[in-house]
Amino acid sequence: MEQATGIFLYGLSLLTMGGIYAVLTLGLNLQWGFTGLFNAGVGGFFAVGAYTAAILTTPAAASHLGGFGLPIAVAAMAAMALSGVMGWGVARICVRLRADYLAIATLGIAEIFRLILKNETWATNGARGIAQVPKPFESLAGPWNMVAMTLVVLAIVGVLYVLLERARLSPWGRVMAAIRDNEPAARAAGKDVERFRVQAFIFGSAIMGLGGALMAHNLKFVDPNLSEPITATFLVWVMLIVGGSASNRGAIVGAMLLWTIWSATEILTSRLPPDWAIRSAYIRIFLIGLLLQVVLQRFSGGILPERRGLARRPSGGD
């Protein structure tokens, strides 16, 4: 009985974390899959959302900014808004850059965000991070508190999926796909390419901020390591590529699958001999990279590639 309970709780944890990564992957899919914006700084917007939610909901403390006591839902919306504003600022500077230059620029900006979080101790408590972040439903008895948290995360993923699918099939989504596939042709058709790119970057960054807020409340703790490029950017990119770039279904499936594998590799590497255990982090990354190679060899468009569905007839305008 105890073993079954443990497996059940582990499954809930996988679904919750996989769902949070699905939110991040959907945000990246909006930028890269829809529009072709190569954002290599996912971790930066993720961290902005996580710290915003933590600061706005934690009790007052001498070590960091806090004590606002806002409800979790309000903090999550504030995290989305601030991440979206940061995305607007970054897009205004970088959105005209070529894809490889944009990747370098966003990677550098994400590292600047991380250094700010690490060094502005008056606001973030530096490397020690912020603890006592409230978790939804934590007053409920276990395991119902975990069940409720999992259902909330999955409901958010479902709502995002519906909204993004409607956006993808709308005239707005068709313009995004046209810009991604043939930018000169989109310009020749009279589309304001920069304006659409900025919109995609803002919306994608806001969704990444929501993912950060969910992570902060789920873990009840944030620190600068939360935005490490390996887990907050590289892993999200692999999830999207394995699942299927430009496919919202693929983004969700890729996130769930890769998080399960990533979690399973921790169990595997924990059983290695001591001489190998110190290399466990590298072994986990190697296994994820190997999986990426295998999937790309067999499914060039990902497990669930983009479906070119029929868009609704435009009613005018863009």
Side-chain angles (χ1 to χ4, degrees):
M1 184 62 186
E2 289 184 2
Q3 186 177 10
T5 303
I7 294 172
F8 176 68
L9 296 178
Y10 181 63
L12 287 178
S13 174
L14 282 180
L15 282 174
T16 305
M17 289 296 292
I20 293 171
Y21 269 97
V23 172
L24 281 172
T25 312
L26 286 170
L28 179 62
N29 190 42
L30 177 54
Q31 293 178 342
W32 169 251
F34 281 27
T35 324
L37 292 169
F38 195 165
N39 180 5
V42 175
F45 301 101
F46 170 72
V48 168
Y51 271 87
T52 302
I55 288 172
L56 292 180
T57 56
T58 47
S63 58
H64 61 81
L65 197 61
F68 297 98
L70 292 180
I72 291 174
V74 175
M77 288 188 282
M80 292 182 70
L82 186 57
S83 298
V85 170
M86 301 293 282
W88 173 81
V90 173
R92 293 288 294 175
I93 299 170
C94 304
V95 80
R96 292 182 180 84
L97 297 177
R98 214 174 62 189
D100 45 357
Y101 293 134
L102 177 61
I104 295 169
T106 50
L107 179 62
I109 290 169
E111 283 302 299
I112 291 171
F113 286 163
R114 198 157 70 90
L115 288 174
I116 290 173
L117 296 174
K118 205 168 185 176
N119 291 288
E120 296 299 325
T121 53
W122 63 273
T124 65
N125 201 23
R128 294 185 180 88
I130 298 176
Q132 296 185 320
V133 182
K135 184 173 184 176
F137 313 110
E138 58 185 343
S139 60
L140 294 178
W144 301 113
N145 52 357
M146 291 184 65
V147 172
M149 180 69 190
T150 304
L151 291 177
V152 166
V153 171
L154 295 181
I156 290 173
V157 172
V159 169
L160 281 176
Y161 172 77
V162 171
L163 293 176
L164 290 174
E165 273 295 290
R166 290 177 66 88
R168 185 178 70 86
L169 297 174
S170 70
W172 183 82
R174 289 200 310 173
V175 174
M176 293 295 182
I179 293 172
R180 178 197 65 195
D181 294 339
N182 194 332
E183 182 180 327
R187 287 187 189 278
K191 303 303 178 186
D192 188 340
V193 172
E194 277 72 30
R195 182 165 66 90
F196 281 102
R197 281 182 161 176
V198 169
Q199 290 172 1
F201 209 90
I202 291 172
F203 294 143
S205 300
I207 294 173
M208 292 170 189
L210 175 61
L214 291 173
M215 185 69 82
H217 291 299
N218 185 51
L219 299 180
K220 295 177 62 64
F221 176 76
V222 294
D223 71 359
N225 292 328
L226 203 63
S227 61
E228 281 287 341
I230 291 294
T231 53
T233 297
F234 170 73
L235 197 57
V236 179
W237 268 100
V238 176
M239 288 170 174
L240 180 59
I241 293 170
V242 168
S245 181
S247 164
N248 291 315
R249 296 179 309 145
I252 295 172
V253 170
M256 291 292 184
L257 176 64
L258 261 294
W259 179 254
T260 302
I261 293 172
W262 180 259
S263 179
T265 58
E266 186 175 16
I267 299 173
L268 178 66
T269 54
S270 66
R271 299 175 183 276
L272 291 172
D275 290 345
W276 284 90
I278 58 175
R279 303 181 179 89
S280 60
Y282 307 108
I283 295 172
R284 295 179 74 189
I285 296 170
F286 168 76
L287 292 174
I288 293 297
L290 184 63
L291 172 70
L292 178 62
Q293 291 295 325
V294 171
V295 171
L296 289 179
Q297 290 288 332
R298 297 183 64 85
F299 309 97
S300 59
I303 297 172
L304 294 174
E306 178 186 17
R307 288 189 303 182
R308 296 274 183 166
L310 293 175
R312 287 191 295 276
R313 185 181 297 278
S315 56
D318 292 319

